[in-house]
Amino acid sequence: MKDGRVARDGLVLLGCGKMGSAMLAGWLAKGLPASSVWVRDPKPSDWLQGTGVNLNADLPAAPAVVLVAVKPQMMADALPTLQAMGNGDTLFVSVAAGTTIGYFESVLGGDTPIVRAMPNTPAAISQGITAIVGNAKAGSRSLDEAETLLSAVGEVVRLTEEAQINAVTGVSGSGPAYVFHMIECMAAAGVAQGLPEELAMQLAKATVAGAGALAMQAEEDPGQLRVNVTSPNGTTQAALEVLMDEAEGFPPLLKRAVAAAADRSRELANG
């Protein structure tokens, strides 16, 4: 990242909330010079002001990349100010939920290279996963550039079509909240079985974090890892008979939850 087009021609970060700050911290840690970054944010944090980036200053005419990280409701005001950068070599990368590539093309022009990305909140600790998809104008170079930038906060996967973003939203975009709620429920169930609240929460957090880490590192798939923990007629089997129930367990429940999130994502994209 030190020597590439981004460092030479500059990167504009439009919006620097939690997600923008996490990405910026990752880029700076990987060697992108602060002098190569321009940030537009109406309420810059103390941390942002101390990074040495060009903050709310005049932007370069043709930066290598504009990364759009404003909230969707701010988009209509923020994006038109960058219209002059459209239809050129500047790559626009959006992490704004519910904002389609078509919307960007309508504001910036159809010859603008655009990559739409769906990250998730573990990006804040560089443990995120981001799905990306580009328009026709965004060739392999644009996707490679976007992947390099977004890999600063975790894994990156590429989609074959934009419509898949809705399913990604339901699985990984909104998914951290499902896991946080599972932690809450596990802890509450432990309390119901006689554990002190603080201890039950400690056990639930560590169990979910440890199981996730094992799932990432083990050679076996999660199904096999589950089998490995399950002794015949043991305690885990008793619990799994409840959780794996085809009518009321995790399978139908999570299918409905992910579908609800994906459906809402489609509604937002359609206005």
Side-chain angles (χ1 to χ4, degrees):
M1 196 177 279
K2 295 177 186 176
D3 308 312
R5 193 171 81 99
V6 173
R8 187 185 72 239
D9 295 340
L11 184 153
V12 173
L13 181 58
L14 193 62
C16 197
K18 287 182 180 177
M19 189 64 68
S21 295
M23 290 188 290
L24 178 57
W27 301 330
L28 296 175
K30 289 194 174 187
L32 182 65
S35 58
S36 296
V37 181
W38 280 258
V39 176
R40 281 270 175 93
D41 193 274
K43 296 178 181 177
S45 65
D46 292 342
W47 173 81
L48 178 58
Q49 293 180 57
T51 57
V53 300
N54 302 286
L55 184 56
N56 294 325
D58 290 341
L59 302 179
V65 179
V66 173
L67 200 140
V68 183
V70 296
K71 296 199 181 306
Q73 56 268 34
M74 311 278 290
M75 191 70 73
D77 293 328
L79 197 60
T81 65
L82 306 181
Q83 202 166 23
M85 297 176 187
N87 290 335
D89 290 332
T90 298
L91 166 63
F92 281 76
V93 180
S94 168
V95 297
T99 306
T100 64
I101 289 173
Y103 175 80
F104 278 86
E105 290 176 334
S106 70
V107 176
L108 300 168
D111 286 331
T112 308
I114 297 161
V115 172
R116 184 177 173 191
M118 171 55 65
N120 63 1
T121 54
I125 57 166
S126 296
Q127 295 287 316
I129 186 161
T130 304
I132 62 173
V133 64
N135 67 349
K137 192 68 178 178
S140 58
R141 185 182 80 167
S142 293
L143 285 166
D144 287 346
E145 279 186 334
E147 183 167 339
T148 298
L149 288 169
L150 295 165
S151 65
V153 292
E155 289 185 60
V156 179
V157 296
R158 299 191 186 192
L159 307 180
T160 55
E161 56 183 298
E162 187 180 10
Q164 292 173 320
I165 283 273
N166 301 308
V168 169
T169 300
V171 176
S172 60
S174 300
Y178 316 159
V179 179
F180 299 145
H181 185 49
M182 182 179 172
I183 292 171
E184 290 179 299
C185 291
M186 283 178 69
V191 171
Q193 291 298 318
L195 293 174
E197 281 189 22
E198 196 172 318
L199 175 59
M201 183 58 75
Q202 184 181 357
L203 290 168
K205 283 181 181 178
T207 299
V208 170
L214 182 58
M216 290 295 287
Q217 294 178 28
E219 290 184 6
E220 302 100 320
D221 65 28
Q224 185 58 49
L225 293 173
R226 168 179 53 76
V227 170
N228 294 351
V229 183
T230 310
S231 304
N233 297 317
T235 58
T236 307
Q237 183 176 322
L240 288 176
E241 284 174 2
V242 176
L243 294 176
M244 295 177 71
D245 184 89
E246 290 294 335
E248 297 181 343
F250 273 173
L253 185 63
L254 281 173
K255 197 172 181 180
R256 291 204 310 273
V258 171
D263 287 346
R264 183 63 181 139
S265 177
R266 291 182 191 97
E267 287 174 8
L268 290 170
N270 292 330

